[in-house]
Amino acid sequence: MVSLTADMSPLHPDRNLALELVRATEAAAIRATPWVGRGQKEVADGAAVDAMRAFLTTVNFDGTIVIGEGEKDDAPMLFNGERVGNGQGPQCDIAVDPIDGTTLTAAGRNNAISVLAVSDRGTMLDASSVFYMDKLVTGPAGVGVVDIRLPIGENIRRLAKALGKPVSEMVVSVLHRPRHDQLIEDIREAGAGTRLLSDGDVAGGINSARHDSRTDMCVGIGGSPEGIVTACAIKALGGHIQGILAPRNDEERQRGLDAGLKLDTVYEADDLVKGDNTIFVATGVTDGQLVAGVQRRGEYIFTESVVLRGKSGTLRRISSEHLVSKWL
């Protein structure tokens, strides 16, 4: 693993790389936009994949995709193990999700984003052999307070006390899936409200960790790749994240064991992504709490992105104007 003794060392991700990566998520978001609300999520995702990959080839780094699009969506590009970048600069692990929220994009709903996450080579957990992970995400107030092994009601009460607010004002984000029917009922019985997500639990997790968010916690079973991506962002926000892998069947469980994954074990933040030298980049495809979606007004395309760096603990917003003529 690369040493992190010097922030500007050419051997690991730095602040300049973070700004370069924004170009890739902007491109993916812009190319997906014509398909927003068209009901063709595969086409939208394919356009985003092509655009992201094209821009990543120009970036000054030697990246290996640990969490790729190909594994999840049978895409021929941006697959696990693929090398990206120009081969120069820092050696990095890469997680990509050209559209987190393809269903949201196809339906024209809020909170679809294009995402990249980067860390030092060898620091990201490769959980690709087990697709789902049970996750618990909060902001800094939850560190040392909540625990995924506790009942959800207890975690809500603990976090409410740490936040100094009544349980009745607590809001918990959950993916709206049949598997979460009991979890949703338990949250409401505890006295808290729910924000049901139709898709896109990366944005849901990050929003729950932000200091000015309208949600306090994100829980439930979602994609394990999304858990790794979210962990890269949580490092910059000082929040709390835990995950337990959730195999769908015995065959997947065995694949996880063969890959050396720890099943029935709580993965803490540093197990998901070692160290704090992480970069998370997201550009809005559709409007959401985290970022605004792509807009075209006249001869310009407007994008909004966030860049989170774990090492400096910063969140930066980047608003960009693009000439339409350059994207025809």
Side-chain angles (χ1 to χ4, degrees):
M1 189 173 75
V2 178
S3 172
L4 302 182
T5 55
D7 186 50
M8 292 305 293
S9 164
L11 297 179
H12 64 267
D14 62 26
R15 59 180 63 89
N16 296 320
L17 176 59
L19 296 178
E20 281 292 293
L21 294 173
V22 172
R23 297 168 57 239
T25 56
E26 286 176 343
I30 289 170
R31 288 303 189 196
T33 299
W35 303 100
V36 171
R38 300 300 182 93
Q40 300 182 60
K41 67 177 186 178
E42 293 85 2
V43 178
D45 195 49
V49 168
D50 290 345
M52 179 175 282
R53 188 173 186 273
F55 273 78
L56 283 178
T57 61
T58 69
V59 176
N60 187 45
F61 73 154
D62 179 6
T64 299
I65 294 180
V66 176
I67 297 169
E69 182 72 0
E71 292 291 319
K72 182 164 61 74
D73 294 319
D74 296 323
M77 295 184 294
L78 298 180
F79 53 84
N80 286 30
E82 183 175 356
R83 301 287 288 273
V84 294
N86 63 12
Q88 303 175 25
Q91 297 181 339
C92 306
D93 283 351
I94 312 293
V96 302
D97 200 346
I99 304 180
D100 178 47
T102 53
T103 301
L104 299 175
T105 301
R109 295 175 180 163
N110 288 353
N111 293 313
I113 55 177
S114 177
V115 174
L116 274 171
V118 176
S119 64
D120 292 333
R121 177 68 54 81
T123 57
M124 277 188 193
L125 176 70
D126 180 0
S128 58
S129 55
V130 178
F131 186 78
Y132 284 114
M133 178 185 287
D134 192 6
K135 290 166 277 192
L136 168 62
V137 185
T138 75
V143 177
V145 172
V146 298
D147 192 296
I148 196 170
R149 288 161 287 207
L150 294 172
I152 186 62
E154 178 65 17
N155 279 325
I156 291 170
R157 288 186 289 272
R158 288 185 175 205
L159 186 59
K161 182 177 180 181
L163 290 170
K165 61 194 296 187
V167 168
S168 60
E169 293 182 8
M170 296 288 288
V171 179
V172 182
S173 292
V174 189
L175 279 172
H176 196 192
R177 301 287 188 272
R179 63 178 177 266
H180 290 149
D181 286 349
Q182 186 60 53
L183 176 60
I184 293 167
E185 183 177 335
D186 290 344
I187 292 168
R188 292 170 176 169
E189 284 187 357
T194 56
R195 183 178 296 276
L196 302 183
L197 308 173
S198 58
D199 204 353
D201 63 338
V202 171
I206 294 170
N207 283 328
S208 295
R210 292 169 55 214
H211 66 89
D212 58 349
S213 175
R214 287 173 285 175
T215 55
D216 303 293
M217 183 187 300
C218 187
V219 296
I221 297 173
S224 56
E226 286 81 357
I228 313 302
V229 172
T230 303
C232 288
I234 297 304
K235 296 273 184 161
L237 296 170
H240 171 88
I241 182 169
Q242 292 175 307
I244 301 174
L245 292 169
R248 291 170 289 185
N249 50 49
D250 290 341
E251 180 181 351
E252 189 172 73
R253 184 178 182 85
Q254 189 59 51
R255 284 203 305 270
L257 292 172
D258 293 343
L261 294 173
K262 300 175 183 178
L263 305 182
D264 307 315
T265 297
V266 176
Y267 281 89
E268 305 288 346
D270 282 334
D271 300 317
L272 299 172
V273 184
K274 296 183 179 68
D276 65 354
N277 199 36
T278 60
I279 298 171
F280 172 92
V281 179
T283 300
V285 177
T286 59
D287 287 340
Q289 289 186 60
L290 185 61
V291 281
V294 177
Q295 297 180 41
R296 176 173 174 173
R297 296 198 294 269
E299 296 304 311
Y300 292 91
I301 298 170
F302 297 85
T303 59
E304 184 180 27
S305 306
V306 290
V307 177
L308 294 91
R309 292 189 67 234
K311 196 165 186 66
S312 59
T314 54
L315 184 155
R316 291 182 171 88
R317 292 191 176 275
I318 299 175
S319 298
S320 303
E321 300 178 8
H322 313 260
L323 279 172
V324 171
S325 60
K326 300 295 185 180
W327 290 90
L328 297 177

